[in-house]
């Protein structure tokens, strides 16, 4: 018996695709932007929760259509899109959780991390010309990465400091000190196409042999600092693991410095 919560979603799928025989269905509402229904262990239907999420979904479909052939890992390809959902084939694999990676055999770890580096190298070298404009990119924007970071620091001081202990506030000030004094140049990069949400559950691995089988959820991808992607990996896996992608992806000292800042700032983003 299917979960009753599935019914509103299944009704919309049936209305759009009456010939589809739905044998099994699984609902996941954990996502911040979309509810996801997996049908017959083969088709993914993503239902945007807000109008902003719907706009992101249209953008993501256009972006993936433009870049999928350049990437060495499988990414979703939207096959059908309505006002209610976007549909694509299920990308096979299990999330690359930290414990799963560290529990794998050394040769499997090396293989997956090398493939992850190759994916990042291909993504970050994708030409920006001809790609769709992200919905959040407005004409005439002149905000710098430094100004965004300092605005966030003010929010942290106002909203989080009342809830933090003295040592925690000291950690925040230490994190932002090189941004404040200019020794860390957050704007010292050439914009590249970045994923911008490389959480462990967006990186998929498959067995036989263990490999990076896919990367999903490109709704926040767009021009940006490659250090953002590396920072997300640092936050999830730690620096000793991330440094192992250097065989297939160059990790400069300046990039790592920015990535370390982004990894720390990510914790504050979640807290905010």
């Amino acid at each position: 018996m299917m979960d009753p919560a599935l019914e509103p979603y299944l009704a919309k799928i049936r209305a759009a695709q009456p010939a589809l025989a739905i044998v099994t269905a699984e609902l996941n509402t954990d996502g911040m932007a979309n509810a996801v229904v997996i049908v017959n262990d083969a088709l993914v239907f993503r239902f945007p929760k807000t109008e902003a999420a719907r706009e992101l979904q249209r953008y993501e479909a256009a972006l993936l259509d433009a870049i999928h052939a350049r990437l060495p890992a499988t990414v979703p390809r939207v096959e059908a899109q309505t006002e209610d959902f976007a549909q694509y084939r299920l990308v096979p694999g299990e999330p690359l959780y930290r414990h799963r990676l560290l529990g794998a055999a050394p040769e499997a770890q090396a293989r997956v991390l090398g493939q992850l580096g190759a994916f990042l190298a291909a993504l970050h070298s994708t030409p920006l010309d001809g790609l769709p404009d992200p919905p959040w990119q407005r004409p005439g924007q002149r905000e710098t990465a430094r100004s965004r970071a300092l605005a966030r620091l003010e929010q942290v001081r106002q909203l989080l400091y009342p809830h933090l202990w003295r040592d925690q506030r000291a950690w925040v000030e230490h994190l932002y000190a090189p941004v404040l004094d200019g020794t860390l140049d957050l704007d010292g990069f050439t914009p590249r196409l970045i994923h911008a949400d490389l959480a462990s559950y967006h990186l998929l691995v498959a067995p036989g042999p263990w490999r990076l089988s896919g990367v999903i959820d490109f709704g926040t991808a767009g021009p940006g600092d490659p250090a953002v992607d590396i920072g997300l990996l640092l936050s999830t896996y730690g620096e000793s693991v991330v440094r192992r992608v250097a065989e297939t992806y160059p990790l400069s000292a300046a990039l790592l410095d920015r990535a370390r800042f982004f990894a720390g700032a990510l914790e504050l983003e979640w807290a905010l």
Side-chain angles (χ1 to χ4, degrees), residues 74-89:
T74 301
V75 298
R77 294 290 308 284
V78 174
E79 298 178 341
Q81 196 159 19
T82 72
E83 280 300 304
D84 294 315
F85 61 75
Q87 174 214 320
Y88 58 85
R89 297 279 162 183

Side-chain angles (χ1 to χ4, degrees), residues 68 71-75 115 119 212-215:
H68 74 98
L71 303 177
T74 301
V75 298
Q115 292 169 342
F119 168 81
L212 183 71
S213 58
V215 181

Side-chain angles (χ1 to χ4, degrees), residues 141-155 176 179 186-187:
Q141 277 186 330
R142 297 186 178 181
E143 187 182 33
T144 64
R146 183 176 188 272
S147 66
R148 286 195 301 272
L150 295 182
R152 268 295 193 251
L153 176 58
E154 276 309 301
Q155 285 186 301
Y176 277 87
V179 180
L186 292 183
D187 294 289

Side-chain angles (χ1 to χ4, degrees), residues 19-255:
L20 176 63
I22 300 176
V23 179
T24 63
E26 177 186 349
L27 174 64
N28 184 337
T29 58
D30 289 348
M32 296 177 68
N34 301 284
V36 176
V37 177
I38 300 175
V39 171
N40 300 340
D41 295 321
L43 297 175
V44 176
F45 295 84
R46 296 173 70 199
F47 291 80
K49 295 180 177 180
T50 64
E51 183 53 43
R54 184 171 287 107
E55 186 180 16
L56 281 179
Q57 198 168 88
R58 289 191 289 264
Y59 162 72
E60 181 180 8
L63 177 67
L64 288 169
D65 195 52
I67 69 172
H68 74 98
R70 294 185 56 92
L71 303 177
T74 301
V75 298
R77 294 290 308 284
V78 174
E79 298 178 341
Q81 196 159 19
T82 72
E83 280 300 304
D84 294 315
F85 61 75
Q87 174 214 320
Y88 58 85
R89 297 279 162 183
L90 181 71
V91 178
E94 297 292 330
L96 186 58
Y97 295 132
R98 186 175 187 273
H99 66 269
R100 180 172 281 147
L101 175 63
L102 297 183
E107 62 272 17
Q109 290 185 32
R111 184 185 310 113
V112 167
L113 291 172
Q115 292 169 342
L116 178 57
F119 168 81
L120 287 171
L123 181 70
H124 294 170
S125 63
T126 299
L128 297 177
D129 293 343
L131 297 184
D133 293 329
W136 59 87
Q137 184 174 294
R138 306 303 179 193
Q141 277 186 330
R142 297 186 178 181
E143 187 182 33
T144 64
R146 183 176 188 272
S147 66
R148 286 195 301 272
L150 295 182
R152 268 295 193 251
L153 176 58
E154 276 309 301
Q155 285 186 301
V156 169
R157 285 169 170 167
Q158 292 175 21
L159 300 176
L160 296 186
Y161 273 22
H163 306 283
L164 299 182
W165 290 354
R166 182 179 301 176
D167 66 303
Q168 295 167 329
R169 295 195 297 270
W171 173 81
V172 175
E173 295 298 327
H174 176 76
L175 175 69
Y176 277 87
V179 180
L180 288 163
D181 66 22
T183 55
L184 177 61
D185 182 8
L186 292 183
D187 294 289
F189 66 92
T190 300
R192 305 290 185 186
L193 177 62
I194 65 172
H195 184 282
D197 194 9
L198 284 178
S200 58
Y201 40 83
H202 292 155
L203 299 170
L204 304 178
V205 289
W210 214 57
R211 69 196 188 283
L212 183 71
S213 58
V215 181
I216 61 174
D217 205 339
F218 283 73
T220 57
D225 184 354
V228 170
D229 283 346
I230 303 302
L232 284 158
L233 297 177
L234 287 176
S235 176
T236 301
Y237 302 109
E239 187 160 336
S240 63
V241 172
V242 172
R243 280 185 175 275
R244 294 169 64 189
V245 309
E247 291 187 11
T248 50
Y249 183 89
L251 295 171
S252 69
L255 181 142

